Amino acid sequence: MYNTLGPVLCLSFFIISGATKSNIKRVSVDIGKNVTIQCPLHKTKDVMWEREGRTADENIKMNVLENGSLFLQEVDRNDSAIYSCIRENDVKDIRGRVNVTVKTPPPPLVVSIKPSTILALILWDVKGTGGYPIVNFTAQYRLAYSNTSWIPISPNHITPNSRQVEVYNLIPNTTYEFRIWATNQLGKSPIVNVFGTTRNHYPERELARHLLEGADKFDTRWWAVAVGIVMGTLVLLGIGTCALLYQECKTPTVEEEQEVIELVPNIILNPGFEGTAANRTEPDENSNNENPMRLNNNTVVQPRNV
Ligand SMILES: *[C@@H]1O[C@H](CO)[C@@H](O)[C@H](O)[C@H]1NC(C)=O
Ligand SMILES: *[C@@H]1O[C@H](CO)[C@@H](O)[C@H](O)[C@H]1NC(C)=O
Ligand SMILES: *[C@@H]1O[C@H](CO)[C@@H](O)[C@H](O)[C@H]1NC(C)=O
Ligand SMILES: *[C@@H]1O[C@H](CO)[C@@H](O)[C@H](O)[C@H]1NC(C)=O
Ligand SMILES: *[C@@H]1O[C@H](CO)[C@@H](O)[C@H](O)[C@H]1NC(C)=O
Ligand SMILES: *[C@@H]1O[C@H](CO)[C@@H](O)[C@H](O)[C@H]1NC(C)=O
Ligand SMILES: *[C@@H]1O[C@H](CO)[C@@H](O)[C@H](O)[C@H]1NC(C)=O
């Protein structure tokens, strides 16, 4: 008797711990759809369903089908929850758990406006996608409190990776209303409206502000790195030059003198100088030759030594 009970208890413990940890079945459903959820553990019709985090009274309203499946009708976003099922009249508390996620259009964006004199920057952040990727954003603007029609902000199709867009051609010192929303395959997020007032026209001050903005962002460490590189190069050049000078002072050899002679190009005081005698060629019918030609007393044009 005890021999058989031991393994059974062990087995049930295993099932319980498994069910409460990793064995949560996942079900996702689009908002407004009906969904039938089968109990992942008990394939019988005598099953009770609970929504976790709710009192027993609230759970009485659960719509359980004849075959024991849970039926959620036209789900709303607040139907996202963990649902668990237990066998009726069972002393052992063995639960099957199902994580139901309702997919929705994206939640509202978090929007801010940075107006300057004639343009404004709309910045936004997403707080989730609703379950499907965002397809695009749409942004529009108009004069505030005017009830005129909305003007689209180009590009009309703002790509899903964008988090900002600029509005051009605004009038200084004027309040505008901006609105923006995200779209996924289930539809539009709630629209967020934000007001922003452009600044007065103070071109010099604007310019100064922009310059200072740049200075603020500039990292002084880069200066240090640049100066370091330049100084390092100068030091290396200095050392190299010193080394060369030292070497030349130390070895004023015959080689050096020969080099000096070779450095005098094409202008040679000695008319007899030639590379090799073998290079001498006879003039052809056009009087073209490859021999030195005397231009005046001091200058001799040498043929190239190939
Ligand atoms: C959901 O189920 C209810 C009741 O069975 C039915 O009236 C309704 O048409 C269903 N809705 C959808 C979207 O299937
Ligand atoms: C239970 O019944 C519903 C509707 O009658 C059905 O959609 C579902 O597949 C059934 N579940 C099982 C496990 O048979
Ligand atoms: C869920 O949302 C629906 C419709 O918005 C509402 O009628 C219902 O009371 C809400 N339920 C809970 C538990 O908040
Ligand atoms: C339920 O699933 C959603 C995503 O599908 C996840 O974010 C959430 O943490 C899950 N909840 C539990 C309790 O596992
Ligand atoms: C704004 O315009 C709409 C239609 O374009 C109109 O129905 C509404 O009454 C107007 N509101 C005001 C305050 O003018
Ligand atoms: C955004 O995407 C939706 C869904 O694909 C589409 O209907 C809509 O026209 C798009 N909007 C813009 C401004 O491109
Ligand atoms: C800016 O607009 C406000 C209110 O519209 C007005 O009182 C103010 O005189 C304007 N300032 C300038 C410099 O135009």
Side-chain angles (χ1 to χ4, degrees):
M1 182 68 184
Y2 281 107
N3 284 351
T4 52
L5 198 58
V8 169
L9 282 175
C10 278
L11 188 63
S12 12
F13 178 73
F14 177 73
I15 291 169
I16 291 167
S17 54
T20 48
K21 276 179 194 154
S22 55
N23 287 355
I24 298 186
K25 190 178 155 193
R26 288 198 166 183
V27 171
S28 61
V29 52
D30 292 354
I31 189 167
K33 293 270 166 64
N34 294 335
V35 63
T36 305
I37 302 160
Q38 198 182 322
C39 183
L41 280 189
H42 312 292
K43 315 281 188 215
T44 79
K45 59 187 178 61
D46 306 319
V47 163
M48 281 187 356
W49 282 90
E50 287 176 1
R51 177 178 162 152
E52 295 191 356
R54 282 214 180 151
T55 64
D57 282 351
E58 286 169 328
N59 278 322
I60 286 173
K61 292 177 214 149
M62 289 282 202
N63 190 351
V64 183
L65 300 175
E66 281 175 12
N67 59 16
S69 293
L70 176 68
F71 181 71
L72 298 176
Q73 184 177 332
E74 291 169 7
V75 292
D76 194 22
R77 52 188 85 223
N78 61 16
D79 287 315
S80 286
I82 307 283
Y83 296 84
S84 62
C85 49
I86 41 176
R87 200 196 294 264
E88 252 172 55
N89 308 319
D90 198 343
V91 283
K92 294 196 290 287
D93 186 26
I94 303 175
R95 289 171 177 268
R97 300 171 84 223
V98 183
N99 181 350
V100 175
T101 310
V102 178
K103 295 191 174 187
T104 63
L109 302 169
V110 181
V111 184
S112 62
I113 305 283
K114 284 193 177 164
S116 88
T117 50
I118 54 164
L119 41 91
L121 185 65
I122 309 178
L123 300 144
W124 65 90
D125 232 331
V126 296
K127 294 276 173 260
T129 63
Y132 289 108
I134 289 173
V135 178
N136 59 32
F137 298 99
T138 310
Q140 302 175 336
Y141 75 106
R142 66 179 184 188
L143 276 177
Y145 323 114
S146 70
N147 205 17
T148 50
S149 59
W150 290 93
I151 303 159
I153 295 171
S154 66
N156 287 336
H157 178 100
I158 304 171
T159 57
N161 293 331
S162 313
R163 291 295 178 268
Q164 64 180 58
V165 69
E166 264 185 331
V167 193
Y168 303 99
N169 296 326
L170 302 179
I171 305 160
N173 195 27
T174 309
T175 302
Y176 290 92
E177 185 179 6
F178 305 87
R179 65 175 191 176
I180 179 166
W181 64 87
T183 307
N184 71 10
Q185 71 182 68
L186 293 179
K188 294 177 184 178
S189 72
I191 295 175
V192 176
N193 289 52
V194 187
F195 289 88
T197 303
T198 51
R199 277 198 296 271
N200 271 317
H201 225 328
Y202 289 131
E204 299 88 2
R205 225 188 256 180
E206 281 275 296
L207 193 64
R209 195 181 57 81
H210 277 296
L211 288 175
L212 283 177
E213 253 177 19
D216 281 348
K217 280 174 203 154
F218 189 78
D219 193 341
T220 46
R221 279 174 297 181
W222 289 113
W223 265 118
V225 170
V227 169
I229 290 171
V230 171
M231 294 298 281
T233 314
L234 284 177
V235 167
L236 282 177
L237 278 174
I239 291 171
T241 314
C242 285
L244 278 177
L245 282 175
Y246 178 71
Q247 267 193 343
E248 285 194 18
C249 291
K250 215 179 157 192
T251 58
T253 55
V254 190
E255 249 177 59
E256 205 179 320
E257 279 157 23
Q258 284 174 348
E259 266 176 31
V260 170
I261 290 168
E262 281 173 11
L263 277 175
V264 179
N266 295 344
I267 301 165
I268 290 172
L269 297 176
N270 174 15
F273 176 86
E274 292 193 338
T276 53
N279 276 352
R280 194 186 296 267
T281 52
E282 293 304 315
D284 60 16
E285 61 273 22
N286 296 323
S287 291
N288 283 334
N289 65 21
E290 286 287 320
N291 287 327
M293 188 169 67
R294 181 172 286 274
L295 295 178
N296 58 32
N297 276 347
N298 291 333
T299 309
V300 173
V301 175
Q302 283 286 331
R304 271 173 306 154
N305 235 354
V306 186

